[in-house]
């Protein structure tokens, strides 16, 4: 699916209960109850307050900066699409290696400081227990929950969560900028490339359409859409798939194509609220990125765009929770695989 970046990547509503399913792994080590599988409540005995600690720090960050939701959600996306959900996006570069966070697609990632604050507190309370990969997954859930009105008003679940997070991931110790460039979805991707990227992670067309809904929150900058507005092809000034009046409006705002200071809301007037307004924009050909408009180029994803635009928000929120859990299972390390980093930016 950033505070300052490309993205600053569903009757009475019941708590979305997501049954934890098994993923490949080996015998448990470093937390949980030793089963070596992802599941809800992995830290119930080894660090009972883990999720509450994450929530408290995320809530503080969002209170201080209401735009902090999107970058926390985006960190989890960018982690899972490169080597799987194993925290490699957090590792610092070294003299001999350029890490993921320094790859061009990740230059606008933010909120690393929030993750560091969470890790520091968890290490103080439960040393060597909670992985950085799980922190990313929990923080993403909390960030989007705090941006969802039906959740914050108590109309979704008793615990204030949009969905339940499976935990039990362990941290990887390899991070490559080249792999990030190769694997991360791009804002200029067409539908065929998007389908291929998602399929490579075992994610479906529905997951593609649903997770694109993360663009309901956050902001971008002019360079991310410059090609859509000027010199799109030798024969076309702007991207013909972009609504012309909207393109004209964006062009006036981005009169300097390399302007990195002007902020563009993904959903004008609603960039801090997680809902289905994004799909209404996409249906009008007013999605900010070419990859947003690409959802209209496939029968399945196009039908989902119109379904979420026209359905009660609860239908989308439920599906979003399911797709986030699906993504959270991509390439995970469990059991004795990987490690539990002491600091998220450094391998042990």
């Amino acid at each position: 699916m950033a505070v300052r970046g490309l993205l600053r990547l569903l009757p009475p509503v019941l708590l979305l209960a997501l049954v934890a399913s098994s993923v490949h792994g080996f015998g448990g080590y470093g937390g949980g109850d030793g089963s070596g599988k992802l599941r809800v409540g992995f830290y119930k005995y080894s660090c009972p307050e883990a999720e509450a600690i994450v929530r408290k720090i995320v809530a503080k960050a969002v209170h201080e900066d209401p735009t902090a939701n999107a970058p926390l959600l985006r960190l989890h996306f960018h982690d899972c699409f490169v080597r799987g959900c194993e925290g490699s996006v957090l590792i610092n570069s070294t003299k001999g290696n350029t890490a993921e966070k320094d790859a061009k697609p990740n230059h606008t990632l933010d909120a690393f400081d929030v993750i560091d604050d969470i890790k520091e507190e968890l290490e103080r309370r439960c040393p060597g227990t909670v992985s950085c990969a799980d922190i990313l997954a929990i923080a993403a859930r909390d960030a989007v929950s705090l941006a969802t009105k039906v959740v914050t008003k108590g109309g979704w679940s008793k615990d204030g969560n949009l969905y339940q997070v499976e935990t039990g991931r362990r941290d990887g110790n390899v991070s490559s900028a080249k792999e990030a460039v190769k694997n991360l979805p791009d804002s200029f991707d067409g539908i065929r490339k998007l389908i291929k990227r998602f399929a490579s992670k075992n994610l479906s067309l529905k997951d593609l359409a649903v997770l694109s809904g993360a663009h309901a929150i956050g902001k971008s900058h002019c360079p991310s859409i410059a090609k859509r507005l000027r010199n799109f092809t030798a024969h076309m000034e702007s991207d013909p798939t972009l609504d012309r009046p909207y393109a004209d409006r964006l062009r006036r705002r981005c009169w300097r194509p390399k302007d990195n200071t002007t902020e563009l809301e993904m959903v004008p007037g609603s960039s801090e609220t997680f809902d289905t307004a994004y799909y209404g924009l996409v249906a009008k050909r007013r999605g900010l990125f070419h990859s947003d408009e690409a959802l209209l180029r496939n029968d399945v994803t196009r039908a989902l765009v119109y379904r979420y635009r026209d359905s009660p928000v609860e239908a989308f929120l439920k599906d979003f929770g399911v797709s986030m859990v699906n993504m959270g299972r991509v390439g995970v390390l469990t059991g004795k695989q990987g490690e539990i980093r002491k600091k998220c930016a450094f391998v042990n």
Side-chain angles (χ1 to χ4, degrees):
M1 124 230 284
V3 177
R4 297 169 288 278
L6 284 179
L7 284 186
R8 277 277 276 187
L9 278 102
L10 296 139
V13 184
L14 300 177
L15 170 65
L16 178 60
L18 298 168
V19 180
S21 68
S22 298
V23 293
H24 59 279
F26 300 94
Y29 177 78
D33 61 10
S35 66
K37 300 173 183 178
L38 290 189
R39 66 193 165 282
V40 174
F42 185 85
Y43 300 108
K44 182 177 180 179
Y45 301 108
S46 59
C47 191
E49 298 301 313
E51 292 194 29
I53 290 169
V54 176
R55 182 56 163 258
K56 181 178 180 180
I57 295 175
V58 169
K60 179 176 182 291
V62 171
H63 177 73
E64 294 174 351
D65 179 2
T67 67
N69 307 82
L72 287 167
L73 181 58
R74 189 168 174 240
L75 276 176
H76 185 41
F77 275 86
H78 281 234
D79 184 42
C80 292
F81 268 84
V82 185
R83 304 188 72 85
C85 309
E86 37 73 81
S88 56
V89 73
L90 303 172
I91 297 175
N92 284 350
S93 294
T94 63
K95 289 183 178 180
N97 178 67
T98 304
E100 290 173 34
K101 65 165 59 173
D102 291 317
K104 187 175 180 180
N106 286 336
H107 284 174
T108 53
L109 288 181
D110 208 340
F112 293 104
D113 57 329
V114 180
I115 302 300
D116 289 340
D117 288 346
I118 294 169
K119 182 61 173 175
E120 183 178 352
E121 180 61 17
L122 285 170
E123 284 298 304
R124 189 179 71 82
R125 300 279 288 273
C126 311
T129 302
V130 183
S131 69
C132 298
D134 276 345
I135 291 172
L136 286 175
I138 300 167
R141 187 274 311 278
D142 290 349
V144 74
S145 296
L146 291 167
T148 307
K149 288 184 178 180
V150 69
V151 175
T152 58
K153 291 182 178 180
W156 187 262
S157 65
K158 292 180 180 179
D159 60 6
N161 293 324
L162 180 58
Y163 58 94
Q164 292 185 320
V165 176
E166 295 178 340
T167 45
R169 299 168 189 80
R170 289 173 61 82
D171 298 322
N173 51 25
V174 176
S175 185
S176 165
K178 290 182 179 179
E179 291 184 5
V181 171
K182 179 181 178 181
N183 288 283
L184 286 171
D186 186 89
S187 63
F188 289 104
D189 280 350
I191 190 61
R192 290 183 180 179
K193 185 170 284 189
L194 287 170
I195 291 172
K196 184 177 180 180
R197 290 190 194 276
F198 274 69
S200 72
K201 309 302 176 188
N202 245 352
L203 296 173
S204 67
L205 286 171
K206 184 174 183 179
D207 291 323
L208 166 58
V210 171
L211 294 174
S212 294
H215 288 183
I217 55 176
K219 300 178 181 181
S220 187
H221 294 90
C222 295
S224 66
I225 61 166
K227 187 178 178 181
R228 296 196 80 191
L229 302 179
R230 294 177 178 83
N231 303 316
F232 186 71
T233 68
H235 306 289
M236 294 182 181
E237 172 69 358
S238 61
D239 184 347
T241 67
L242 182 62
D243 175 70
R244 181 169 292 181
Y246 192 50
D248 291 341
R249 193 183 317 162
L250 290 171
R251 197 177 294 110
R252 287 193 293 273
R253 292 207 64 195
C254 294
W255 60 277
R256 292 182 299 153
K258 295 183 179 181
D259 177 9
N260 266 312
T261 57
T262 298
E263 294 183 334
L264 305 171
E265 292 183 296
M266 298 300 296
V267 178
S270 181
S271 65
E272 296 171 12
T273 302
F274 190 68
D275 53 26
T276 54
Y278 163 80
Y279 293 103
L281 285 179
V282 172
K284 294 177 182 178
R285 298 191 299 120
R286 292 186 177 185
L288 197 60
F289 297 150
H290 185 73
S291 58
D292 296 322
E293 190 279 335
L295 297 177
L296 300 177
R297 303 296 162 176
N298 174 273
D299 290 345
V300 174
T301 54
R302 181 172 60 250
L304 287 165
V305 166
Y306 291 122
R307 178 194 299 179
Y308 295 133
R309 180 195 64 178
D310 298 334
S311 300
V313 69
E314 289 82 2
F316 165 67
L317 295 176
K318 181 177 180 180
D319 287 350
F320 186 80
V322 172
S323 289
M324 284 294 287
V325 171
N326 290 342
M327 185 184 73
R329 296 169 177 164
V330 172
V332 297
L333 303 176
T334 61
K336 293 184 179 179
Q337 298 171 310
E339 62 185 15
I340 303 295
R341 284 186 227 134
K342 294 180 176 65
K343 292 187 176 182
C344 292
F346 305 93
V347 298
N348 292 345

